[in-house]
């Protein structure tokens, strides 16, 4: 069976991580992924500390397996959520949208494993020096906040630059993606968009359906001006956002326009005026399936591919 350093580090069966996702990374999805042998991660997003604590408790009621929590460093509640994670002794910390360096010593003192998400080689090296246990190298194909480098280009460069295990994220949705990530030197994968379209995810059915209908160029990146470029499915909101950016609205005005849009799209299912975060891999996703099936199919497909690659060798 496919086993990597990530399986040992996080004490999980399969080298598959469900990326912490704002609004969607709730106890339902997290516990399903961890129960299926992957690593589920609670997405704390911009939620208040009490909500995060409740999600930790709910997850513990539904699984005895390891799980993690994603700290959105841009959240106004980030510092308080960090305190909750420390008090609750969540075993694994993932961080997004920023540099977690100042917080790493406290996580390490508390015996937690730290796995920051990065989109540059420089930040990966800096966080290894700061004590990170693993690095998620996330390419621009990803859903959510993105950098500029593709997964194919970023992952091997991060692998060559650090000694700790690297996890590939962005544009992975099946066993071919897992096999490719391992070939690039990663020790596992992190997926977001694929898990949005799982039976257990609380994402609104209309949002899931939009992902199922997507093709390879259905996503766009907006919000560069706010300092957090974000990839989502193109809709009325992204068109309006691009027009307002061109019209030169101030950062404050755009922030106001953007407020609440993610919840509106992901949870309330407003597919035109809400934000529908998704990666380019949406074009590959055709079915909503239970988490366990998604994970087992990906592992089986990757194992078959890895074994069959030797067929490319010829005697002559
Ligand atoms: C709906 C959604 C919400 C997300 N929210 C967060 C977040 O709060 N913090 C974070 O670090 N990453 C977030 N991400 C990124 C995912 O954790 C993951 O790294 C990414 O989706 C991987 O790329 P993929 O979508 O191509 O699988 C989000 C992604 C999606 C699709």
């Amino acid at each position: 069976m496919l086993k990597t350093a990530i399986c040992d580090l996080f004490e999980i069966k399969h080298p598959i991580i469900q990326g912490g996702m704002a609004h969607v990374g709730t106890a339902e999805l997290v516990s399903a992924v961890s129960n299926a042998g992957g690593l589920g991660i609670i997405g704390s997003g911009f939620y208040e500390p009490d909500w995060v604590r409740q999600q930790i408790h709910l997850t513990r009621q539904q699984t005895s397996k390891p799980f993690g929590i994603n700290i959105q460093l841009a959240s106004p509640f980030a510092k308080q959520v960090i305190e909750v994670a420390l008090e609750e002794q969540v075993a694994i910390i993932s961080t997004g949208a920023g540099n977690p360096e100042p917080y790493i010593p406290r996580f390490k003192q508390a015996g937690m494993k730290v796995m920051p998400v990065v989109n540059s080689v420089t930040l990966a090296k800096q966080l290894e020096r700061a004590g990170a246990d693993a690095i998620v190298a996330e390419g621009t194909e990803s859903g959510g906040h993105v950098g500029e480098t593709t997964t194919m280009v970023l992952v091997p460069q991060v692998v060559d630059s650090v000694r700790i295990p690297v996890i590939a994220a962005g544009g992975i949705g099946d066993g071919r993606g897992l096999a490719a990530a391992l070939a690039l030197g990663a020790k596992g994968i992190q997926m977001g968009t694929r898990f949005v379209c799982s039976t257990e995810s609380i994402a609104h059915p209309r949002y899931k359906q939009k992902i199922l209908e997507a093709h390879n160029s259905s996503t766009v990146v907006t919000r560069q001006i706010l300092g957090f470029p974000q990839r989502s499915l193109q809709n009325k909101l992204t068109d309006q956002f691009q027009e307002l950016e061109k019209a030169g609205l101030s950062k404050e005005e755009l922030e106001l326009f953007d407020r609440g849009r993610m919840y509106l799209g992901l949870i309330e299912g407003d597919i035109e005026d809400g934000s529908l975060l998704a990666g380019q891999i949406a074009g590959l996703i055709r079915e909503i399936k239970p988490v366990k099936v998604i994970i087992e199919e990906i592992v089986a497909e990757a194992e078959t591919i890895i074994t069959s690659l030797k067929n490319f060798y010829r005697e002559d």
Side-chain angles (χ1 to χ4, degrees), residues 71-74 95-102 116-119 123 127 145 228:
I71 315 279
Q72 248 276 10
L73 295 165
T95 59
N99 180 353
E101 193 170 353
V117 179
V118 308
N119 49 39
L123 189 55
L127 295 175
H145 298 312
F228 289 105

Side-chain angles (χ1 to χ4, degrees), residues 57-272:
H57 291 176
L58 286 171
T59 304
R60 285 197 171 130
Q61 281 164 22
Q62 292 168 62
T63 186
S64 56
K65 299 275 167 49
F67 67 91
I69 182 165
N70 176 264
I71 315 279
Q72 248 276 10
L73 295 165
S75 161
F77 301 111
K79 287 204 169 96
Q80 290 153 274
V81 170
I82 286 171
E83 293 309 319
V84 169
L86 285 159
E87 282 162 26
E88 295 288 339
Q89 300 184 329
V90 179
I92 299 151
I93 302 287
S94 138
T95 59
N99 180 353
E101 193 170 353
Y103 310 110
I104 292 181
R106 279 193 72 202
F107 292 140
K108 296 307 300 170
Q109 274 158 22
M112 293 155 148
K113 307 252 165 68
V114 185
M115 173 179 54
V117 179
V118 308
N119 49 39
S120 82
V121 170
T122 310
L123 189 55
K125 282 158 78 169
Q126 190 178 331
L127 295 175
E128 178 184 47
R129 279 197 299 274
D133 297 277
I135 291 283
V136 177
E138 189 188 62
T140 190
E141 298 93 322
S142 303
H145 298 312
V146 290
E148 288 177 353
T149 314
T150 62
T151 304
M152 182 86 168
V153 168
L154 182 67
V155 170
Q157 294 188 57
V158 173
V159 166
D160 284 353
S161 309
V162 298
R163 291 206 189 119
I164 51 178
V166 174
I167 295 137
I172 302 170
D174 63 15
R176 291 172 294 183
L178 171 56
L182 296 176
L184 293 175
K187 297 291 187 288
I189 55 169
Q190 169 164 304
M191 300 188 297
T193 309
R194 175 61 273 194
F195 283 124
V196 170
C197 284
S198 62
T199 317
E200 292 88 341
S201 118
I202 65 154
H204 195 282
R206 280 196 293 268
Y207 162 45
K208 291 184 184 178
Q209 186 58 31
K210 281 287 277 184
I211 295 180
L212 299 186
E213 289 165 9
H215 51 82
N216 65 291
S217 55
S218 295
T219 66
V220 285
V221 177
T222 55
R223 295 159 177 78
Q224 286 92 338
I225 208 166
L226 299 181
F228 289 105
Q230 180 181 296
R231 186 178 296 283
S232 51
L233 293 171
Q234 183 265 329
N235 63 359
K236 184 175 141 208
L237 175 68
T238 58
D239 292 348
Q240 277 180 338
F241 212 93
Q242 279 167 336
E243 276 163 32
L244 294 174
E245 280 177 320
K246 266 192 226 140
L249 253 71
S250 69
K251 202 170 168 226
E252 290 69 31
E253 285 167 318
L254 286 170
E255 265 165 6
L256 198 63
F257 177 74
D258 202 30
R259 200 159 293 163
R261 300 286 187 166
M262 228 190 262
Y263 188 83
L264 190 63
L266 308 186
I267 304 301
E268 294 188 343
D270 186 333
I271 55 171
E272 285 309 331

